[in-house]
């Protein structure tokens, strides 16, 4: 493996990569050295949609599909194949988020019927707002009755066949008009995902343009459908997040405690594990086995979810899941769905760690399966915590918990941004809009997404975000990107004085806001859509999301969900830059549609730039262009930082 220092910007990760090597453990970093990306698949030029193939549609060296036509056996061209592959990625990403949202809707229904002990309605105000969105009568009906109707209405959004998804009406009116004109308003969540698979089947849609249009429809069904349902109903069940102090990195693990790691995406079970770990019976059992207590920590988006609502620490992001086990102190790693590596049971064999799968949708050979059902969640959670306690005395191998642990603030829903900026008596986005108009804040960027071992872990997120805040761009974050920047110390109010440009620092210091705002898990990118909509509705920054001085990015993406998210950002009017690799480069025609042609249709487009500083500059240039179009460019002096100026700031 290349020098550990080159593999991550995170010191705990670098340290444990050394231990993994000594312990003879294979990690994703090592495997990335051995498994080279397939060059044909990487550019989206491989179709395996029927048994006449797989067809590798390779162009002669140096030629593009604009000059030469190459086809698969059925005659499908490079642009059709690229567009199909892209649409299939969107469909898979949207399906993952939507199944998450569906599980939350089912749990709300069970809770409302009194069939899910342990779950209650924590945010009645949000429930009532959702009742209005779904046209459900409120009156003086009992809250459980309203919750049941809201749960059923949300669940019906998945199988709806006609009409429009309910949350589409939350978007700015002008955006809704664009969607209606293009015919891409989602009808039902499952319907759009199924149609994406049908269209991309052999011999169906053979036009890259119509494939792309449906890609937007399926992605919108995720952003303004499945994901938004997941976010909103989780807020109802578990409470809308409020700013909360958290700690992050592998140093949150405690050698003298039973350590339980919850990893994956759905907080339904992990909420209960937090409760079970505080149960006096469990604590007594842990002490009887020689432990000081029970320590619950999270990995990936489950971590973001339970941190936001309980202050439970985050052990790390995607590429740290194997390394958490390598510390030798993780007694159980409990996984649900998404972003879980199949290598975990193998890594765990070198230690004493129990890998416990909990979803009937996600089994891993070598793991223990303790299935979770909402009607019996408390008992499943207790069984899992008990398994961790039983594993504690069997620790084998050398223990090494890196000393790295960083404080940060998380839990900013779009509603709490309202309160923080406008105050309790008049919650409002007005101060944010005013500060953008007067130029103290240049614009807003959503920087989200995964880690990818093809690039230096965390460094692309951190460098991009530092560049943005230095240039007075307020950054909104979710997912593993938020965890990366939290580890780098960017998610504290103090980071404003240290890293932000003068204007942004001034605003952050006035309201006690970090310059980088943690808005939750991947599914909570819907909160960024709502924040953007709130800015439009507040006024003064145009009448559509595409008018805002705003941009999006996923600089270390790896998941199909990231493509779905990026596509719904673009379809919602946000210029979006991805790093690492771009999955359609085999077709110049289709890539041009994404990078240029979409602008005409939805007033936003994709871009690809793996260098974090160059990508940040693309975003800043876009933000400045939008400021100019709004006539607010005079309010600020336009300064782009060169290397010398950045070093000057670094030295501060
Ligand atoms: S659908 Fe066409 S391009 Fe794809 S594998 Fe079959 S024959 Fe080849
Ligand atoms: S950001 Fe990506 S890697 Fe991280 S949890 Fe979300 S989808 Fe998984």
């Amino acid at each position: 493996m290349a020098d550990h220092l080159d593999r991550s910007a995170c010191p705990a990760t670098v340290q444990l990569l050394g231990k993994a090597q000594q312990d003879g453990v294979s990690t994703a970093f090592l495997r990335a050295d051995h498994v080279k990306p397939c060059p044909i698949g990487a550019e989206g030029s491989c179709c395996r949609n029927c048994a006449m193939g797989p067809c590798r549609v390779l162009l002669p060296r140096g030629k593009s599909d604009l000059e030469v036509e190459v086809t698969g056996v059925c005659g499908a061209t490079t642009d059709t194949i690229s567009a199909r592959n892209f649409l299939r990625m969107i469909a898979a990403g949207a399906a993952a988020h939507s199944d998450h949202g569906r599980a939350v809707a089912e749990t709300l229904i069970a809770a409302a019927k009194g069939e899910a002990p342990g779950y209650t309605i924590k945010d009645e105000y949000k429930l009532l707002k959702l009742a209005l969105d779904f046209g459900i009568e409120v009156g003086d009906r009992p809250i459980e009755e309203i919750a049941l109707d809201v749960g059923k209405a949300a669940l019906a959004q998945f199988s709806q066949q006609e009409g429009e998804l309910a949350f589409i009406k939350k978007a700015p009116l002008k955006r809704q008009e664009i969607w209606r004109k293009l015919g891409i308003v989602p009808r039902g969540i499952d319907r759009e995902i199924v149609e994406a698979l049908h269209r991309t089947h052999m011999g169906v849609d053979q036009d890259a343009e119509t494939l792309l249009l449906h890609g937007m429809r399926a992605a919108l069904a995720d952003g303004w459908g499945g994901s938004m349902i997941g976010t909103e109903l989780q807020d109802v069940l578990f409470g809308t997040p409020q700013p909360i102090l958290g700690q992050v990195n592998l140093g949150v693990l405690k050698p003298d405690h039973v350590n339980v790691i919850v990893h994956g995406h759905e907080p339904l079970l992990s909420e209960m594990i937090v409760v079970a770990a505080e149960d006096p019976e469990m604590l007594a059992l842990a002490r009887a086995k020689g432990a000081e207590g029970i320590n619950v920590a999270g990995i990936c988006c489950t971590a973001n979810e339970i941190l936001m609502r309980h202050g439970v620490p985050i052990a790390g992001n995607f590429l740290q899941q194997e390394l958490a086990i390598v510390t030798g102190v993780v007694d159980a790693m409990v996984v649900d769905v998404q972003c879980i590596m199949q290598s975990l049971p193998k890594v765990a064999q070198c230690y004493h760690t129990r890998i416990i799968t909990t979803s009937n949708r996600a089994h891993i050979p070598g793991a223990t399966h303790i299935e979770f059902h909402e009607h019996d969640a408390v008992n499943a959670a207790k069984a899992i915590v008990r398994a961790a306690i039983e594993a504690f005395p069997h620790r084998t191998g050398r223990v090494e918990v890196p000393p790295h642990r960083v404080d940060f603030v998380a839990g900013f829903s779009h509603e709490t941004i309202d309160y923080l900026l406008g105050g309790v008596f008049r919650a409002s986005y007005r101060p944010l809009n005013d500060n953008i108009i007067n130029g103290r804040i240049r614009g807003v960027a959503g920087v989200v997404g995964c880690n990818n071992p093809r690039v230096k872990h965390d460094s692309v997120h951190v460098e991009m975000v530092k560049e943005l805040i230095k240039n007075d761009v307020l950054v909104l974050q979710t997912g593993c990107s938020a965890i990366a920047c939290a580890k780098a110390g960017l998610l504290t109010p103090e980071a404003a004085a240290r890293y932000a440009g003068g204007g942004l620092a001034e605003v952050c210091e006035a309201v006690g806001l970090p310059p980088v705002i943690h808005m939750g898990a991947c599914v909570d990118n819907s909160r960024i859509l709502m924040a953007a909509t709130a800015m439009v509705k507040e006024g003064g920054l145009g009448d559509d999301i595409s008018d805002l001085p705003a941009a999006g990015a996923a600089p270390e993406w790896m998941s199909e969900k990231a493509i779905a998210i990026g596509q719904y950002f673009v379809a919602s009017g946000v210029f979006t830059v991805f790093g690492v690799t771009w999955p359609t480069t085999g077709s110049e025609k289709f890539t041009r549609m994404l990078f240029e042609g979409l602008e005409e249709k939805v007033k936003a487009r994709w871009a690809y730039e793996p260098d974090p500083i160059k990508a940040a500059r693309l975003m800043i240039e876009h933000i400045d262009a939008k400021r100019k179009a709004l006539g607010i460019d005079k309010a600020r002096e336009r300064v782009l930082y060169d290397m010398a100026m950045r070093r000057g700031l670094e030295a501060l």
Side-chain angles (χ1 to χ4, degrees), residues 47 49-50 52-53 55 72-74 81 84 202:
C47 177
N49 293 6
C50 87
M52 292 189 284
C55 299
V73 175
C74 68
I81 289 171
R84 280 182 184 161
M202 188 271 149

Side-chain angles (χ1 to χ4, degrees), residues 97 263-265 299-302 304 317-319 321 338-340 448-452 461 478-483 521-523 525 556-562 565:
H97 275 156
H263 168 28
H265 278 73
I299 296 260
C300 277
C301 281
T302 292
N304 286 318
N317 50 8
F318 175 66
L319 281 180
Q321 56 186 286
Q338 301 170 27
C339 305
I340 297 146
V448 305
C450 327
N451 296 133
N452 188 319
H461 292 296
T478 60
C480 291
S481 187
I483 299 175
C522 315
V523 87
N525 283 312
E556 294 185 26
W557 76 282
M558 65 87 200
S559 160
E560 290 166 313
K561 286 177 291 169
I565 293 163

Side-chain angles (χ1 to χ4, degrees), residues 108 120-124 126-128 130 147 150 231-240 309:
L108 179 63
T120 53
I121 311 298
K122 292 248 172 63
D123 189 340
E124 290 190 9
K126 182 157 265 195
L127 180 73
L128 298 180
L130 288 172
V150 167
T231 295
E232 297 287 69
L233 299 195
Q234 278 172 191
D235 285 355
V236 169
L237 279 171
F238 308 131
T240 300
R309 299 191 176 92

Side-chain angles (χ1 to χ4, degrees), residues 8 59 78 105 110 112 119 136 277 279 293 313 325 347 362 450 481 497 505 535 541 544 573 649:
S8 177
L59 290 156
T78 40
Y119 295 100
I136 290 165
D279 185 291
I325 299 171
V347 176
C450 327
S481 187
M535 287 167 70
L541 292 174
D544 185 15
L649 269 173

Side-chain angles (χ1 to χ4, degrees), residues 461-482:
H461 292 296
V462 173
E463 283 187 40
M464 171 185 275
V465 168
K466 278 188 175 170
E467 184 71 8
L468 289 168
I469 60 176
K470 266 178 201 168
N471 285 284
D472 291 323
V473 176
L474 178 70
V475 175
L476 311 179
Q477 291 213 285
T478 60
C480 291
S481 187

Side-chain angles (χ1 to χ4, degrees), residues 233-382:
L233 299 195
Q234 278 172 191
D235 285 355
V236 169
L237 279 171
F238 308 131
T240 300
Q242 303 281 335
I244 189 165
L245 188 64
Q247 286 199 317
V248 63
N249 217 342
L250 291 164
V252 303
L253 297 174
K254 297 180 180 171
D256 55 1
H257 280 56
V258 172
N259 289 292
V260 183
I261 288 210
V262 286
H263 168 28
H265 278 73
E266 295 180 355
L268 298 172
L269 174 62
S270 24
E271 283 274 333
M272 291 301 142
I273 288 178
V274 174
V275 175
E278 288 163 0
D279 185 291
E281 184 202 339
M282 292 293 140
L283 285 168
L285 192 59
R287 286 193 197 103
K289 298 281 180 188
E292 290 292 313
I294 303 169
N295 182 37
V296 180
I299 296 260
C300 277
C301 281
T302 292
N304 286 318
E305 300 276 12
I306 54 171
L307 160 80
M308 288 195 298
R309 299 191 176 92
H310 300 284
V312 167
I314 297 184
N317 50 8
F318 175 66
L319 281 180
Q320 290 178 288
Q321 56 186 286
E322 293 165 311
L323 298 176
I325 299 171
V326 172
T327 61
V329 300
V330 174
D331 302 298
M333 184 174 278
V334 191
V335 303
D336 47 58
V337 290
Q338 301 170 27
C339 305
I340 297 146
M341 293 193 194
Q342 186 169 349
S343 59
L344 293 180
K346 201 155 179 206
V347 176
Q349 273 173 14
C350 300
Y351 306 92
H352 71 298
T353 312
R354 300 278 302 272
I355 305 295
I356 301 172
T357 50
T358 58
S359 167
N360 62 7
R361 289 161 293 174
H363 297 256
I364 307 178
T368 307
H369 191 70
I370 301 180
E371 198 154 305
F372 157 73
H373 298 281
E374 61 272 6
H375 61 262
D376 197 25
V378 181
N379 285 331
K382 280 189 178 174

